[in-house]
């Protein structure tokens, strides 16, 4: 029993066992700032140990995030494991406040500022492994909501391959990425769009091409990529792009496309440069319509846009306990899977005889899943798609054309991963269930 920090009285044996887990150690903000804990002695005394307890509990369960928010008379902790939220216990009001303030402090944020959203992060170590904890605070009517995202530094999901993209798709993107034009990672907030965008950048051969990154890499190491540090004060994006073309840039990653102020300059340079960015959107086809709106000219988008990439995260089946089964050929046909697939995998079903309880799985704790990867969709602007964009076609018409051209879709890529035994049909159904 290691997760008993929330106000429970514990027996002696339980207390002894708990000592085996060393609490997480906080090792300074990622922005390199020094945090003066002595100057905040009162706050540290009130909240540091409890803050570490909350984060340690979550990390011991290999959570990917912890949310701390005021709720009713106290506070609520929600942890998320492989993207599935679950309760992490309740807190008193003073605890909620102290933990929130301390975590902001150690992440290099202004602990007193509670009316504006803030983002930062800190380095941490837990059970001999290094982590980055990304902390964001958002004002809510009852006070403040704090989200801590836990990233295992060694278990990187940074390249498209690490994220789970198949080789043929990655190869095709590599070809698209070195032709001039705009390539955007799109998706709903929190769906992994930024990771895909940097994955696209990393997919460019930086030995062969001159690559610049104008956006904040968020702690990622970008090998062979130049940053644009000597940007003169007040320079517009348009001017920056001209200046970087003079430095013989081939590929430039720019800030997210959220307004015409970004969209227009990048489409203005689409004939000379490869421009990579991201844009929040429901899916690839609605992103096309959105782009036409922000750019204000369907022809410019049709000519400049090369591809849109989106992703959906899902859980991997636990490699230690996944159970094989033989699907019926007509079932495979219905799914659109190749009949040569002999075996699919799922979470082990309960035994026929309830008395025969098997040993619980030591790896996943009988959840059946362990870790996450992404499925991808690449909308490539072919002559057919280009014509539709020019005509101002709606997302449904573009989707129809994608099907006709047999372009990749999220569903198709998801089924590929089911056929490869990476995940189950049940998990695929879960992630595609309308919210
Ligand atoms: Zn397992």
């Amino acid at each position: 029993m290691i997760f008993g920090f929330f106000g429970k009285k514990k027996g002696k044996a339980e207390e002894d066992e708990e000592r085996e887990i060393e609490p997480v150690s906080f090792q300074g903000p990622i922005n390199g700032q020094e945090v003066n804990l002595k100057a905040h002695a009162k706050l540290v005394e009130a909240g540091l140990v409890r803050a570490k307890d909350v984060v340690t509990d979550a990390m011991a369960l290999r959570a990917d995030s912890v949310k701390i928010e005021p709720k009713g008379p106290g506070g609520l902790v929600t942890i998320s494991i492989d993207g599935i939220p679950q309760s992490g216990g309740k807190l008193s009001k003073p605890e909620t406040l102290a933990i929130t303030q301390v975590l902001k402090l150690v992440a290099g944020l202004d602990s007193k500022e509670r009316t504006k959203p803030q983002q930062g992060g800190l380095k941490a170590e837990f059970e001999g492994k290094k982590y980055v904890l990304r902390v964001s605070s958002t004002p809510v009517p009852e006070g403040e909501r704090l989200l801590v995202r836990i990233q295992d530094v060694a278990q990187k999901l940074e390249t498209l391959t690490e994220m789970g993209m198949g080789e043929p798709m990655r190869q095709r993107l590599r070809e698209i990425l070195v032709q001039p034009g705009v390539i955007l990672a799109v998706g709903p907030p929190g769906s992994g769009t930024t990771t895909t965008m940097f994955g696209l950048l990393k997919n460019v051969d930086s030995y062969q091409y001159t690559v610049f990154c104008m956006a904040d890499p968020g702690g990622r190491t970008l090998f062979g990529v130049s940053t644009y540090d000597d940007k003169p004060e007040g320079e517009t994006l348009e001017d920056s792009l001209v200046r970087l073309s003079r430095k013989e840039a081939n590929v430039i990653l720019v800030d997210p496309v959220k307004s015409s102020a970004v969209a227009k300059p990048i489409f203005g340079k689409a004939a000379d440069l490869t421009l990579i960015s991201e844009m929040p959107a429901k899916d690839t086809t609605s992103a096309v319509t959105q782009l036409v709106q922000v750019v204000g000219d369907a022809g410019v988008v049709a000519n400049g846009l090369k591809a849109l990439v989106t992703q959906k995260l899902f859980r991997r089946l636990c490699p230690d306990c996944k159970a094989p089964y033989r699907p019926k050929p007509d079932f495979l046909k219905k799914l659109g899977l190749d009949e040569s697939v002999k075996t699919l995998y799922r979470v082990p079903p309960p035994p026929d005889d309830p008395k025969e309880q098997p040993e619980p799985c030591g790896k996943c704790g009988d959840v059946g899943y362990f870790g996450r990867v992404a499925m991808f969709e690449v909308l490539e602007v072919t002559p057919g798609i280009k014509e539709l964009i020019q005509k101002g076609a709606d997302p449904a018409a573009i989707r129809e054309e994608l099907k006709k051209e047999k372009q990749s879709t999220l569903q198709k890529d998801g089924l590929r991963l089911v056929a490869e035994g990476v995940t189950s049909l049940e998990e695929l159904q879960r992630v595609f269930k309308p919210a």
Side-chain angles (χ1 to χ4, degrees):
M1 180 61 202
I2 45 176
F3 322 117
F5 288 111
F6 295 106
K8 255 197 316 188
K9 280 237 156 53
K10 301 163 206 112
K12 178 81 176 66
E14 267 181 296
E15 273 177 18
D16 283 348
E17 262 182 55
E18 268 183 22
R19 278 195 203 105
E20 287 169 22
I21 292 241
E22 280 277 318
V24 59
S25 90
F26 294 158
Q27 303 179 328
I30 48 173
N31 63 12
Q33 235 175 52
E34 284 282 325
V35 176
N36 188 350
L37 291 181
K38 279 207 183 100
H40 299 85
K42 235 176 146 178
L43 175 59
V44 168
E45 201 196 318
L48 185 61
V49 172
R50 294 290 289 129
K52 284 189 175 181
D53 283 352
V54 170
V55 176
T56 303
D57 271 9
M59 291 176 93
L61 284 166
R62 59 173 201 87
D64 33 59
S65 73
V66 198
K67 190 169 68 182
I68 300 151
E69 60 192 329
K71 198 101 204 180
L76 205 63
V77 179
T78 310
I79 65 171
S80 147
I81 301 169
D82 293 335
I84 309 285
Q86 66 181 61
S87 170
K90 285 179 182 161
L91 301 167
S92 72
K93 197 152 210 159
E95 273 177 330
T96 311
L97 191 66
I99 292 170
T100 304
Q101 307 268 79
V102 162
L103 287 172
K104 281 165 68 182
L105 180 69
V106 293
L109 306 181
D110 181 352
S111 61
K112 292 201 184 75
E113 173 59 73
R114 308 191 64 209
T115 55
K116 285 188 207 129
Q118 291 187 73
Q119 290 188 338
L122 64 144
K123 288 173 271 183
E125 200 170 317
F126 179 64
E127 301 209 296
K129 285 206 299 194
K130 299 220 174 285
Y131 291 84
V132 170
L133 309 179
R134 295 190 186 278
V135 177
S136 58
S137 70
T138 316
V140 292
E142 298 102 319
E144 200 174 7
R145 183 177 61 222
L146 199 79
L147 183 70
V148 181
R149 281 180 297 130
I150 303 164
Q151 294 173 346
D152 182 339
V153 174
Q155 257 205 359
K156 280 186 302 195
L157 276 185
E158 285 197 0
T159 65
L160 297 175
T161 310
E162 283 165 349
M163 287 178 80
M165 187 180 278
E167 194 48 37
M169 192 185 270
R170 205 175 68 84
Q171 199 46 49
R172 181 67 196 127
L173 276 171
R174 202 166 242 237
E175 291 159 16
I176 299 173
L177 277 162
V178 295
Q179 302 158 16
V182 177
I183 297 172
L184 300 180
V186 300
S191 66
T193 312
T194 306
T195 312
T196 298
M197 172 180 73
F198 281 103
L200 287 170
L201 188 73
K202 281 175 178 252
N203 203 29
V204 178
D205 183 352
S206 60
Y207 286 108
Q208 229 182 320
Y209 301 95
T210 307
V211 187
F212 279 90
C213 176
M214 291 179 68
D216 173 13
R220 294 171 182 83
T221 33
L222 299 171
F223 187 75
V225 173
S226 312
T227 48
Y228 186 36
D229 298 326
D230 49 352
K231 181 179 170 217
E233 184 102 18
E235 188 182 76
T236 63
L237 176 58
E238 208 165 355
D239 292 339
S240 298
L241 294 177
V242 170
R243 191 186 289 267
L244 289 179
S245 330
R246 284 199 203 113
K247 293 188 180 190
E248 314 215 313
N250 302 113
V251 181
I252 305 176
L253 184 139
V254 297
D255 280 327
V257 181
K258 285 182 178 160
S259 63
S260 306
V262 179
K264 282 188 175 161
I266 67 168
F267 275 90
K269 286 302 266 178
D272 316 318
L273 294 162
T274 300
L275 294 140
I276 302 172
S277 188
E278 64 173 312
M279 184 173 78
K282 194 170 122 254
D283 52 30
T284 53
T285 48
S286 48
V288 173
T289 327
Q290 254 169 264
L291 272 177
V292 172
Q293 270 166 9
V294 286
V295 174
D297 186 327
V300 170
V301 174
N303 285 316
L305 187 65
K306 282 282 163 292
L308 295 168
V309 187
T310 195
Q311 68 295 308
K312 215 180 207 357
L313 292 166
F314 65 93
R315 294 179 296 169
R316 269 180 198 274
L317 275 167
C318 170
D320 284 11
C321 68
K322 65 180 181 184
Y325 65 100
R326 183 173 281 260
K328 290 204 177 90
D330 54 341
F331 180 62
L332 288 174
K333 213 170 157 188
K334 212 170 105 189
L335 288 172
L337 281 175
D338 199 82
E339 280 172 63
S340 65
V341 176
K342 293 276 178 279
T343 317
L344 295 180
Y345 291 85
R346 63 185 165 198
V347 172
D352 294 334
D353 180 359
K355 271 179 258 159
E356 274 179 41
Q357 262 322 318
E359 280 285 302
C361 173
K363 189 168 179 78
C364 69
D366 272 356
V367 175
Y369 295 96
F370 193 93
R372 284 202 288 179
V373 273
M375 59 189 105
F376 290 93
E377 172 174 308
V378 178
L379 181 158
E380 196 179 328
V381 183
T382 56
I385 299 286
K386 190 170 168 177
E387 205 188 310
L388 282 176
I389 301 175
Q390 251 152 356
K391 282 199 297 201
D394 65 5
I398 298 170
R399 176 75 47 199
E400 220 22 70
E401 177 69 16
L402 289 182
K403 273 192 204 150
K404 212 176 89 193
E405 293 184 9
K406 295 199 164 49
Q407 289 210 31
S408 70
T409 62
L410 281 174
Q411 279 83 352
K412 256 201 239 174
D413 203 37
L415 283 169
R416 167 183 73 86
L417 291 149
V418 169
E420 287 176 8
V422 175
T423 196
S424 68
L425 276 172
E426 291 74 19
E427 174 66 359
L428 214 58
Q429 275 161 352
R430 185 187 70 81
V431 297
F432 281 117
K433 201 170 63 190

